[in-house]
Amino acid sequence: MTTYLITGATGTLGHLATQALRALEPTAHIAVLARPGADVDRLRESGAAVRRGDYDDPPSLRAACAGIERALLVSSPVLDPTVRARQHLAFLDAAAAAGVAHLTYTSALGAEHDPGHHRTEQALAQGSTSHTILRNGLYTEPFVERAWQEALTTGVVRSATQGHALRTASVRDLGLAAAHTLAAPLPGATLELNGPGWTYDDLTDAITTRLGRPVRHESVDDAELGPFGPVHALFRAGLLAQSPAELTRLIGQAPRTAGEVLAVVAG
Ligand SMILES: NC(=O)c1ccc[n+]([C@@H]2O[C@H](COP(=O)([O-])OP(=O)(O)OC[C@H]3O[C@@H](n4cnc5c(N)ncnc54)[C@H](OP(=O)(O)O)[C@@H]3O)[C@@H](O)[C@H]2O)c1
């Protein structure tokens, strides 16, 4: 009997990975990590056993990893790279001490330029635990959700990509990918997971069709997009443009398009 632990299970990716793993492996073999005090009603309803632990509390992580054979470490949302790396390394140490046989880590495209992810990937490479690194692309959902809300409230979708394509991946597909690497580990693999390309013109057309009324796409400066501005600049510079090939192979199906994500977002 293989036993699994998934961290970040109260969050989006960890929850989706847990759901996907339940379709591949018996729920009774799956435990999820939640911080002390976190609301775990939804997790308990799914049937997974809840273990309490905090990336900032190494003893809690060692206890949570006891008896676990394969673990998914969902990266911490903390932005400070020093804190983030310390949290991740605490989990890697706990997993090694508990004898976890295989670990999947959700990193990010461009990890070599991100000190928190880079340090974690280095620690995995230097350690003795079998592991798979998933360098996840940016999630499609926040882009589509924002465009949908803008269209509903103003009839205008704004972007600063200047017609350049974006390549993003649905977080649902990334959760599925993570689950696959737990059920069938790929030791030593570093996979760059991305979805199909799309443009704001395509998305605006799809929103127009769905709403049944005209929606306009307007090009604006980065500064007008708040936190999305710097991200649009990355796509304008042709970065994060990895192909969907590795994600397609891993999940055994074509990754969701922005249009398919829109269908979910728009309900
Ligand atoms: N690729 C992308 O576009 C993208 C976008 C956003 C984030 N990310 C990265 O990918 C990760 C997963 O994304 P997500 O959307 O699932 O994020 P999310 O919904 O914010 O979930 C983060 C998870 O981490 C848990 N967590 C936070 N601090 C913790 C700690 N000290 N100890 C243990 N658990 C802790 C949270 O638990 P609580 O519920 O207790 O807070 C939550 O379950 C993020 O953490 C971030 O590193 C990627």
Side-chain angles (χ1 to χ4, degrees), residues 35-141:
R35 284 198 271 192
D39 181 356
V40 292
D41 286 352
R42 182 176 67 152
L43 299 175
R44 290 223 165 91
E45 278 163 22
S46 77
V50 177
R51 296 187 179 196
R52 297 288 185 171
D54 190 312
Y55 296 156
D56 290 317
D57 178 8
S60 74
L61 299 177
R62 282 195 289 279
C65 286
I68 296 297
E69 285 167 61
R70 298 178 192 168
L72 171 65
L73 169 57
V74 170
S75 61
S76 163
V78 169
L79 294 179
D80 181 327
T82 307
V83 175
R84 200 180 198 198
R86 190 191 65 221
Q87 292 179 327
H88 294 167
L89 268 52
F91 189 87
L92 302 194
D93 286 348
V100 170
H102 184 82
L103 206 146
T104 292
Y105 170 61
T106 63
S107 183
L109 293 181
E112 57 276 29
H113 307 296
D114 178 324
H117 283 306
H118 183 60
R119 180 74 194 90
T120 311
E121 290 194 3
Q122 275 185 323
L124 281 164
Q126 288 159 3
S128 56
T129 306
S130 160
H131 61 272
T132 303
I133 293 170
L134 301 180
R135 289 185 173 171
N136 287 346
L138 290 179
Y139 304 158
T140 307
E141 281 78 359

Side-chain angles (χ1 to χ4, degrees), residues 144-145 147-149 151-152 157 201-216 257-267:
V144 171
E145 282 161 10
W148 176 247
Q149 285 307 322
L152 285 179
V157 171
D201 281 339
D202 298 338
L203 181 60
T204 306
D205 286 349
I207 292 174
T208 296
T209 303
R210 187 156 277 276
L211 282 178
R213 63 173 191 263
V215 174
R216 193 164 51 81
T257 62
E260 288 167 325
V261 170
L262 173 65
V264 175
V265 167

